[in-house]
Structures are given as structure tokens and as C-alpha cells.
Amino acid sequence: ILQVGAEIYPLVKTGGLGDVLGALPSALSRLGLAVRLLLPGYPALRQPLTNVRLVCRLGPAFGAASVQVLLGRLPGVEVPVYLIDAPSLYERPGNPYVDGLGQGWADNPQRFGLLGWVAAYLALGDIDPAWRPQLVHGHDWHAGLAAAYLALHPYTDCRTVFTVHNLAFHGLFPPQLLPVLQLPDSSFMSDGLEFHGEGSMIKAGLHYADAITT
């Protein structure tokens, strides 16, 4: 099982999502399941990461000139952790989603689109040949596109679960970003990820996942 999210208690937390990501993977691991986490490479996560191994270099992607996927351990986390090391996307001060004025970062679609894309291609076996999940579990809008990338890929046997923690935040983006996010035009419809003229990451998770929890 690959757990995918944007926060983890106690290192990065703005709400209950961080609590769940801090507890659920370890609890599942204690039940005998092979669990790993995928998180953005914020400084608060990159700095304490130990036993670091470079898994993959992706080169320019999603607006970042350099993207690497690292595997290591975080203090207090019982399962291995993949971090997306993309400094131009994730090395930001303060809150992981908004700037000092409380406005969402303008490139949040790229920042969290990349999170979903890496999750999907871990599941497809293209990023870490040594480990492939059978299930990708995405949390909130930040991970919603993981289900879309997998559902839209013609060759995958990985299943997806999407958990809604806060339905108020949708992860909206303009349709002009579809090529940047590596999404086909065919996905931009009401029976897809389109929501009142914009793309919605949370709708992508709700529409394309095999199962939904709250």
C-alpha cells in the first residue's frame, strides 16, 4: 500500500490530515501489510530524512527544473518514506499551501499534480523497480490526481482509494494547465475532473478512485 498525502504529524501538520498520515501507515504496517509513504520534499521533511537513497531522477517536470525521488526514514514514522525532492516547488517558508498573506501558492496545481503523478508511476513500476504498490491510497485534493493518472493509463492493475478529509478545498486549476499536468483533454469533462469550467483535483479523486472513504 502506498499512502499519499501532503502532511504528516508531527513534522508538517495543519489539520487532521497530518494526524491520519502520522498514524495510519504505521498501524497498517503493524497488521503485517507492506506500507510506504509518498510526501512532498518540504524542508521540514527533507532535513530529518535519514538512510537516504536516490531512487530516480526525473529531470524537468511540472515546472521544476530538477526532480528526484528519494527513499528514507523519518523520525517517529515506522514505514519507509518516499520524498519528492524538487526544491523549486517545495522549498517554501511556512504553511505548505499558502504564502505569508494567506493566498494559495500560484503553482499549487503543479506542486500537487507532481505528487499524484509520482504516486501513479510508482504504482506502474517506472520509478522504483524494487517496489510496486498494489493499492494507492490518496488523501484529500493534494493526492486526487493519483487516481486519475492511474485510471487514464491503459495498462495498470493497481487499485486506488481516495479519502476526503476536508471537502471545502477542491484544488482547482484552469484547463490551460492540462498539458503541464500531463492530463489528456478528454479528462476535462463533467464525467471526469471538470468542475464549473475548471479542473478539480478533489473531483478527480472522487471520480476516478475505485473506492472512497471519509
Side-chain angles (χ1 to χ4, degrees), residues 121-145:
Y121 281 85
L122 275 166
L124 291 165
D126 289 350
I127 289 179
D128 186 355
W131 191 83
R132 282 183 63 187
Q134 295 170 296
L135 179 70
V136 170
H137 186 172
H139 295 265
D140 252 353
W141 69 265
H142 327 100
L145 286 184

Side-chain angles (χ1 to χ4, degrees), residues 2 21 28 36 65 77 95 103 128 144 146 162 171 175 191 196 199-200:
L2 180 67
L21 266 294
L28 292 173
R36 294 188 180 185
V77 181
N95 187 288
Q103 301 297 313
D128 186 355
F162 183 65
D191 190 24
H196 295 283
S200 169

Side-chain angles (χ1 to χ4, degrees), residues 1-5 24 135-139 159-163 213:
I1 300 171
L2 180 67
Q3 298 281 342
V4 187
L24 179 61
L135 179 70
V136 170
H137 186 172
H139 295 265
R159 306 304 295 271
T160 53
V161 175
F162 183 65
T163 294
T213 68

Side-chain angles (χ1 to χ4, degrees), residues 24-184:
L24 179 61
S26 297
L28 292 173
S29 178
R30 289 185 219 115
L31 293 175
L33 300 170
V35 184
R36 294 188 180 185
L37 267 162
L38 174 65
L39 298 162
Y42 311 125
L45 300 180
R46 179 68 184 88
Q47 291 163 7
L49 193 71
T50 60
N51 301 323
V52 182
R53 176 170 70 85
L54 174 64
V55 174
C56 182
R57 295 183 194 274
L58 299 175
F62 288 73
S66 173
V67 178
Q68 300 181 134
V69 179
L70 309 175
L71 180 64
R73 292 280 181 168
L74 286 173
V77 181
E78 298 176 24
V79 303
V81 177
Y82 292 104
L83 279 192
I84 305 172
D85 186 28
S88 65
L89 292 178
Y90 301 129
E91 285 195 9
R92 310 279 171 90
N95 187 288
Y97 315 121
V98 300
D99 60 21
L101 299 175
Q103 301 297 313
W105 297 109
D107 59 352
N108 272 346
Q110 292 93 315
R111 298 172 75 223
F112 298 109
L114 178 61
L115 178 67
W117 189 90
V118 171
Y121 281 85
L122 275 166
L124 291 165
D126 289 350
I127 289 179
D128 186 355
W131 191 83
R132 282 183 63 187
Q134 295 170 296
L135 179 70
V136 170
H137 186 172
H139 295 265
D140 252 353
W141 69 265
H142 327 100
L145 286 184
Y149 290 124
L150 282 168
L152 294 167
H153 196 281
Y155 306 109
T156 177
D157 56 359
C158 182
R159 306 304 295 271
T160 53
V161 175
F162 183 65
T163 294
V164 178
H165 297 262
N166 191 334
L167 196 60
F169 298 98
H170 296 171
L172 300 176
F173 61 90
Q176 293 87 342
L177 282 182
L178 287 171
V180 177
L181 299 177
Q182 301 191 32
L183 290 164

